[in-house]
Amino acid sequence: MSKPYTRLDKNDVAVLLVDHQTGLLSLVRDIDPDKFKNNVLALADIASYFKLPTVLTTSFENGPNGPLVPELKAQFPDAPYIPRPGQINAWDNEDFVKAVKATGKKQLLIAGVVTEVCVAFPALSALAEGFDVFVVTDASGTFNDVTRQAAWDRMSAAGAQLMSWFGVACELHRDWRNDIEGLGTLFSNHIPDYRNLITSYAQLTQGK
Amino acid sequence: MSKPYTRLDKNDVAVLLVDHQTGLLSLVRDIDPDKFKNNVLALADIASYFKLPTVLTTSFENGPNGPLVPELKAQFPDAPYIPRPGQINAWDNEDFVKAVKATGKKQLLIAGVVTEVCVAFPALSALAEGFDVFVVTDASGTFNDVTRQAAWDRMSAAGAQLMSWFGVACELHRDWRNDIEGLGTLFSNHIPDYRNLITSYAQLTQGK
Amino acid sequence: MSKPYTRLDKNDVAVLLVDHQTGLLSLVRDIDPDKFKNNVLALADIASYFKLPTVLTTSFENGPNGPLVPELKAQFPDAPYIPRPGQINAWDNEDFVKAVKATGKKQLLIAGVVTEVCVAFPALSALAEGFDVFVVTDASGTFNDVTRQAAWDRMSAAGAQLMSWFGVACELHRDWRNDIEGLGTLFSNHIPDYRNLITSYAQLTQGK
Amino acid sequence: MSKPYTRLDKNDVAVLLVDHQTGLLSLVRDIDPDKFKNNVLALADIASYFKLPTVLTTSFENGPNGPLVPELKAQFPDAPYIPRPGQINAWDNEDFVKAVKATGKKQLLIAGVVTEVCVAFPALSALAEGFDVFVVTDASGTFNDVTRQAAWDRMSAAGAQLMSWFGVACELHRDWRNDIEGLGTLFSNHIPDYRNLITSYAQLTQGK
Amino acid sequence: MSKPYTRLDKNDVAVLLVDHQTGLLSLVRDIDPDKFKNNVLALADIASYFKLPTVLTTSFENGPNGPLVPELKAQFPDAPYIPRPGQINAWDNEDFVKAVKATGKKQLLIAGVVTEVCVAFPALSALAEGFDVFVVTDASGTFNDVTRQAAWDRMSAAGAQLMSWFGVACELHRDWRNDIEGLGTLFSNHIPDYRNLITSYAQLTQGK
Amino acid sequence: MSKPYTRLDKNDVAVLLVDHQTGLLSLVRDIDPDKFKNNVLALADIASYFKLPTVLTTSFENGPNGPLVPELKAQFPDAPYIPRPGQINAWDNEDFVKAVKATGKKQLLIAGVVTEVCVAFPALSALAEGFDVFVVTDASGTFNDVTRQAAWDRMSAAGAQLMSWFGVACELHRDWRNDIEGLGTLFSNHIPDYRNLITSYAQLTQGK
Amino acid sequence: MSKPYTRLDKNDVAVLLVDHQTGLLSLVRDIDPDKFKNNVLALADIASYFKLPTVLTTSFENGPNGPLVPELKAQFPDAPYIPRPGQINAWDNEDFVKAVKATGKKQLLIAGVVTEVCVAFPALSALAEGFDVFVVTDASGTFNDVTRQAAWDRMSAAGAQLMSWFGVACELHRDWRNDIEGLGTLFSNHIPDYRNLITSYAQLTQGK
Amino acid sequence: MSKPYTRLDKNDVAVLLVDHQTGLLSLVRDIDPDKFKNNVLALADIASYFKLPTVLTTSFENGPNGPLVPELKAQFPDAPYIPRPGQINAWDNEDFVKAVKATGKKQLLIAGVVTEVCVAFPALSALAEGFDVFVVTDASGTFNDVTRQAAWDRMSAAGAQLMSWFGVACELHRDWRNDIEGLGTLFSNHIPDYRNLITSYAQLTQGK
């Protein structure tokens, strides 16, 4: 009666980045801003590195919610970009769903702001349509721990798998030998402790 | 085997506010009082804004538990108001259940004090009778984190969906275009960060 | 597919207090000692007040684990008391299981020290034999939050219901009118905030 | 519909220690280093004490991840030791799976660094192949609480049982009389509070 | 060698509100936004209630820092309002210092955003000029606890007295009999627990 | 330039208990209610045990602040009891100061609710008059950690010594041999861990 | 008797970066690694931006402590760089002290790893020689909060001023008009919330 | 007016270990037991390594307080050992003071259980007699953070310097070259992260 192990397959994954907008980000208080920024950019780098089709969407970006953070816009210049005219659940926007389905992928990585709305609503809708949904929990933010825990419970109970960006990268890559340097660089750029390990190692082995 | 996505539908929702009484509120210590007061009033404003039938109930309001907080009484002057003579589980009170059923709604938003009793008991009873139950977690309070977590586990396992007032508002509204100003005002009144975004935005766009 | 709402029925409940021993209590660090002592004694008072058959058991009480706390021994002088000669899972002790079954009750309230062993093991065993198991989470203690959360997850997944002593008292009592003073006294003795409400109330109403 | 109670049986258990490497350990920040070291060594002592077949594996141990901590290498000189050339999920390494299956055991105790990858991936794979999986949560570490909670949710939903090393020891031992001194020594070496109880006890009983 | 007890005297106090601007407020993360907003407005109400001369100032209010929160602007329509053209330390702005000195008061209550800059800099400057400085700590906010603690240490060591808005109100009022209703209303508006006490009290005494 | 070591001398100490009233206690949120109640009663027991002259005072006890907690009233039936008609700083009440001075003691132990007002104000006033002031920090409570830390800083800078009830008891008693059983009983009644030590000890030494 | 207000003067400041080495950084656990890395690089950018003479030093950089983090080495290619052969207190190294004195500055900004040693020791030594010492607390890290608090107390009591990098930048810059874009860029690069404010602002004002 | 920098000098230091007894240790809850045990043993190793005269003392070791932890007894077989017959402040015991003075040292490192009594009392007494007192904060434990903070404030205000065992070791050693291996071993034995650094380093440099 348990959830079966649906494993991320880089050939069957699309990434949905929902409402990482400059105004909405001021609402996020369950993760420290330095760490949260890093987590979101790490997920973006994963999408780029594994060449995963990525769909961007925003809510009212000309209003107080603010524009998409420029780093994401710049990193995915050719990705479908759906500024929603009003739908709060991105899945209620036909263009968004079309863009998702156009990727032809069955596994969806979803992250966004705020977790219980911009992430949970499309996650629940996608699950209802039979997609495999993986929530990138640490690239999603919300008001506080209480709202996060409630959102996680709702999504998990509906069948979503809760992951973190590091787990996503590892499950997609599967074997370091596929590209040691590529994955190492990704980790070095987003995990200070890992970067330190690599620097110490390099000094001792290459410094000679 | 997962819970299906039952989505809040403003035409099929009733709100049950259980035992937000001045005495009982002194027991709430899992959420800061400033924030908790705001969350409860935000939920009340949601009920008013979406014209959701609302049922109020209290337990022993002439004793140490104290009266319903006056703000709620004032906001819902015509709502069914059931001061229970003794039943701890509001669902054990026939008048309460009648009032709930008289709304003709199948989806119940429940919040109250304290979570593991005044919320959990009617939530479990309503689930047992086939209602869709949505717990408004952050408008419900209890003694500490341990009692909250246990109460959530019990309710979620029984089929309740755990939400927060912000998620409730968004899922009910569905599309900003239904009334931008209305929802914006609600958020501005209950989310200081959102109010600040709106003020900054207004200065730059309307101040010219 | 959800757990059905099995409701505590005072006529069908037995209480199992497992290994609240003076030595073992020094291991409990997930709840503050002042609060934990109060929670355990509150559960004991519930058992006495509702005249619930209660079974006491200890593990190696002549060794470093120390004796049962004297308050419990004094409060239940006639309760079955099973000092286990070695079995870690109380359910592995025939006398204990006999004592439990001799109560003729189907609903078991279990609390003890430490949560993941002395509570979880008999809880899982009792569930496997078809009992309805209710864990009194705040009258059970363990080393830290991590071990508690893992223990809760294991028990909840196996079908146990997680409660707190306050919820237990309320679910058993059902209606204040069954005995206002009795329940009020119990709360007054174990919830300082509630006692204060009652004192304030009494001064204003009876002081005149 | 609940998970049945699968109980650890010392005759049917194998222990998998995954990637407790000196470099990777610097990534662990959800448990304090003093405590985490103690937990890992406690699990190792459990494996030795109960003579459980143990499989060790590492990821890229000649690179920045660093070597296996020497204490584990020293404690299990004859255990299968699989330095993986690249597979991130140990279960993707044929030698590792062969070593696990060669133990002939159906119950797997898994611990490692980091939880959501080195533990969760083989745990999910083993569950998919029908093994009973027990995660030793406190001998597994990761970046922070958020990643740990997500990883636990994923594993638990897939059928894993979450335990702690103390619970594991107790469930394996079953009865103190099997060897009082052996288990007592294990606890004394890894639980300072328990050691203090034993010392106090010994002074009063043997000091005379 | 201790600091002497300099007591707030409502006839000798001026209030300085520094940079409570809509943009800068998004930087405050050492106090929850609901509570922080309440604290700032409580201090404003204190200034109004005790008719304390109040000086408002902002930094770059037409840029990203955003305008002064409208509530403060509305509450003090006639107060000196100094939008600083660039000085970070308000005390470096001649108009601000003039406005402060024009009040003729020797005791300064200072609050602002962020604590270690907008509060600490003028506080240190005012101390250097011989003013008695009282920092309203909970109406001042900053990035996190570490920056707050460092800022407090610096200000306290320089001779500032650290207070909270509640302490300020009480020290200014001195005797409830000066105006019971006034102070009671102020507390009722800003301390939910106090409001509840008053409501319970009123029901029992006036409800009859 | 350091504060000299002024040591508590049981012949020169008076205890001031300020505003431990049933209503005001609902404001205390920096210490858990179970623990706080215990701390206050422990301090009362210290006063009784060492026969320290004790002065009780309340603020507006017929209003929402509520009456003095009955336990204190009962424990000190003959102590000077000054219900203040309005003065917030107890030291502004002549009767209170007279009662304090009538004790003839130079060392004052002060505790109360809330810390930054009911404790800090008389503490600062007493210091200004040359008394040695010892704040019993854990028998004093306030809204949150921020207000507590600010209050402590203000009092310590003015020359107060910050203590806890356990330290007070030990410094007053000086030598266990003055009365082993008396002090042991006091600790046993207020420190569950200490009580457990004593029970374990008694079983092993007296049980034979 | 208070510390006078010694204000940072960009013409009289030198920056000392002590032992930010890749190995030692794994010891830092009182600040999250993402945030800590950002803080250190922010301080480095301050040193560059204000052209403050900067002195780098390391301890045993060829051993387990590891090399200086490459970012710092790269940013200050011409700065005095003193790899200490063994002195733990950098001030015990003559070359280091010479380099500091060669700057001709009287105000020293010190940051390093770990706080109670690599920062506190030279800070205390420099104070003893009459320098004005400013500890950049959030660019300094150590094992845990307890060691940090003790280290701060020792340094503050000896006369050091505790600051954070943001306060340092603001006190050095004094007036935004000295270079709006320069300071804005520095903040945008190191404070995600500030960057978001700037992006929102730019869209509304320049996007038209 | 600041405290001068009194630097630890290994030729002028004595170590006082006060009441690290098996019973009293169950009272310590401000530091995790695994970490606390490690800290105390680290301080003991410092005393041994630097051959610092060490004085041991206990309070009522035949009663519930329990015996000195055997590790300390074993490590200092020839140290003066003063089991106090009743004095709570060790400095009130003549033999203890004689033993301290017999060391001929002026600098005292003090650690013990509990901080506000067994550490603070002799620390204050020794300061009053002109000794330089250094509190080893992390080898001292107490009931909770509140009692610790109050105790630190009292000791620091009286002139004590607050340190941690790591800072003590570093200040005593002064220069790694005095004995690289000795200090490295001490750190490796008590800092898991440091041990990992050394292991990684050794593999890369010596493994070739």
Side-chain angles (χ1 to χ4, degrees), chain F residues 82-105:
Chain F
I82 293 99
R84 307 194 305 281
Q87 302 93 344
I88 295 178
N89 181 345
W91 209 264
D92 285 345
N93 181 296
E94 282 186 25
D95 293 338
F96 180 77
V97 176
K98 266 186 214 160
V100 174
K101 292 187 175 170
T103 66
K105 309 300 186 189

Side-chain angles (χ1 to χ4, degrees), chain H residues 27-59:
Chain H
L27 306 179
V28 174
R29 285 170 183 264
D30 67 330
I31 308 188
D32 182 84
D34 294 313
K35 184 193 287 278
F36 187 60
K37 181 182 176 184
N38 181 56
N39 291 347
V40 173
L41 297 183
L43 178 58
D45 282 354
I46 287 170
S48 295
Y49 175 72
F50 290 104
K51 299 188 173 53
L52 307 176
T54 299
V55 180
L56 303 172
T57 181
T58 57
S59 166

Side-chain angles (χ1 to χ4, degrees), chain D residues 129-148:
Chain D
E129 293 204 20
F131 285 87
D132 294 325
V133 171
F134 301 79
V135 177
V136 191
T137 54
D138 52 356
S140 302
T142 181
F143 299 98
N144 51 59
D145 285 10
V146 169
T147 56
R148 181 180 68 218

Side-chain angles (χ1 to χ4, degrees), chain A residues 59-207:
Chain A
S59 166
F60 262 135
E61 66 181 26
N62 295 318
N65 292 351
L68 187 66
V69 290
E71 290 89 343
L72 293 182
K73 209 175 282 187
Q75 187 156 351
F76 302 102
D78 302 324
Y81 178 87
I82 293 99
R84 307 194 306 281
Q87 303 93 345
I88 295 177
N89 181 346
W91 208 263
D92 284 346
N93 181 295
E94 282 187 25
D95 294 337
F96 179 77
V97 176
K98 266 186 211 159
V100 173
K101 293 188 173 170
T103 66
K105 309 302 186 187
K106 181 147 193 293
Q107 300 183 329
L108 304 182
L109 284 169
I110 307 184
V113 171
V114 297
T115 310
E116 71 272 33
V117 172
C118 307
V119 177
F121 291 0
L124 293 166
S125 295
L127 285 163
E129 294 204 19
F131 285 87
D132 294 325
V133 171
F134 300 79
V135 177
V136 190
T137 55
D138 52 358
S140 302
T142 180
F143 299 97
N144 51 58
D145 285 11
V146 169
T147 56
R148 181 179 69 216
Q149 289 160 3
W152 284 23
D153 184 89
R154 197 182 189 206
M155 293 189 285
S156 175
Q161 298 202 51
L162 306 182
M163 298 192 70
S164 56
W165 73 258
F166 184 75
V168 166
C170 290
E171 193 155 308
L172 287 168
H173 200 62
R174 303 225 167 161
D175 194 311
W176 275 94
R177 290 168 300 184
N178 289 330
D179 176 10
I180 296 177
E181 189 150 335
L183 194 66
T185 300
L186 199 152
F187 290 169
S188 177
N189 286 343
H190 293 291
I191 307 174
D193 286 325
Y194 212 91
R195 170 178 287 237
N196 289 335
L197 290 175
I198 290 173
T199 303
S200 291
Y201 176 78
Q203 187 199 39
L204 289 172
T205 55
Q206 297 157 22

Side-chain angles (χ1 to χ4, degrees), chain G:
Chain G
M1 283 171 322
S2 303
K3 281 186 207 167
Y5 179 22
T6 304
R7 195 169 174 178
L8 283 170
D9 171 352
K10 70 183 171 187
N11 298 313
D12 200 17
V13 170
V15 178
L16 316 186
L17 299 178
V18 186
D19 303 353
H20 290 99
Q21 295 168 254
T22 57
L24 292 177
L25 282 163
S26 77
L27 306 179
V28 174
R29 284 169 183 265
D30 66 331
I31 308 187
D32 183 83
D34 293 313
K35 185 194 286 276
F36 187 60
K37 181 182 176 184
N38 180 56
N39 290 347
V40 173
L41 296 183
L43 177 58
D45 281 355
I46 287 170
S48 294
Y49 175 71
F50 290 103
K51 298 190 173 54
L52 307 175
T54 299
V55 180
L56 304 171
T57 181
T58 55
S59 166
F60 262 137
E61 66 180 27
N62 295 318
N65 291 352
L68 187 66
V69 289
E71 289 89 342
L72 293 183
K73 209 176 283 186
Q75 187 155 350
F76 301 101
D78 303 323
Y81 178 88
I82 293 97
R84 306 192 306 281
Q87 302 93 344
I88 294 177
N89 181 346
W91 209 265
D92 284 346
N93 180 296
E94 281 186 26
D95 293 338
F96 179 77
V97 176
K98 266 187 212 159
V100 173
K101 294 188 173 170
T103 66
K105 309 301 186 189
K106 178 142 194 297
Q107 299 183 330
L108 304 183
L109 284 169
I110 308 184
V113 171
V114 297
T115 310
E116 72 272 34
V117 172
C118 307
V119 177
F121 291 0
L124 293 166
S125 294
L127 285 163
E129 294 204 19
F131 285 87
D132 293 325
V133 171
F134 300 79
V135 177
V136 191
T137 55
D138 53 357
S140 301
T142 180
F143 299 97
N144 51 59
D145 285 10
V146 169
T147 55
R148 181 180 67 217
Q149 289 161 1
W152 282 23
D153 184 90
R154 196 182 190 207
M155 292 190 285
S156 175
Q161 298 202 53
L162 305 183
M163 297 192 71
S164 56
W165 73 258
F166 183 75
V168 166
C170 290
E171 193 155 307
L172 288 168
H173 200 62
R174 302 224 167 161
D175 195 311
W176 275 93
R177 290 168 298 184
N178 289 330
D179 177 9
I180 296 177
E181 188 149 340
L183 193 66
T185 300
L186 198 153
F187 290 169
S188 176
N189 285 344
H190 293 291
I191 306 176
D193 286 325
Y194 213 91
R195 170 177 288 239
N196 289 335
L197 290 176
I198 290 174
T199 303
S200 291
Y201 176 78
Q203 188 200 37
L204 287 173
T205 54
Q206 298 157 23
K208 293 186 179 181

